[in-house]
């Protein structure tokens, strides 16, 4: 069994996941994303989450 992950590794994993979500997995966009203002990046993540929820809601109809 592996020991508990450090807070550093947890934060890195969270950031990597958010960057991947914003770029939709396109690694060529990563540098561009990293230059964005943090609040702008979070706004984009929120917009994507809303769009995902809307699509899921429409699919359930």
């Amino acid at each position: 069994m592996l020991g508990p992950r450090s807070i550093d590794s947890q934060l890195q994993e969270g950031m990597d996941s958010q960057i991947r979500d914003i770029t939709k997995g396109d690694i060529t966009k990563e540098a561009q994303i990293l230059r964005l203002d943090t609040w702008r990046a979070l706004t984009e993540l929120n917009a994507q989450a809303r769009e995902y929820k809307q699509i899921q809601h429409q699919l359930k109809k």
Side-chain angles (χ1 to χ4, degrees), residues 24-60:
K24 295 185 168 106
D26 182 350
I27 62 170
T28 65
K29 295 180 181 178
E30 187 170 334
Q32 179 183 2
I33 295 303
L34 292 175
R35 287 191 300 266
L36 285 177
D37 175 73
T38 301
W39 292 112
R40 177 65 190 106
L42 291 173
T43 298
E44 180 61 25
L45 278 175
N46 284 336
Q48 287 182 14
R50 274 193 304 278
E51 290 169 4
Y52 175 79
K53 285 181 181 180
Q54 288 173 346
I55 291 168
Q56 291 301 313
H57 179 72
Q58 290 174 352
L59 291 174
K60 288 181 181 179

Side-chain angles (χ1 to χ4, degrees), residues 3-16:
R5 295 181 315 169
S6 70
I7 188 70
D8 292 345
S9 65
Q10 292 176 40
L11 289 172
Q12 184 66 49
E13 185 178 313
M15 281 192 326
D16 290 345

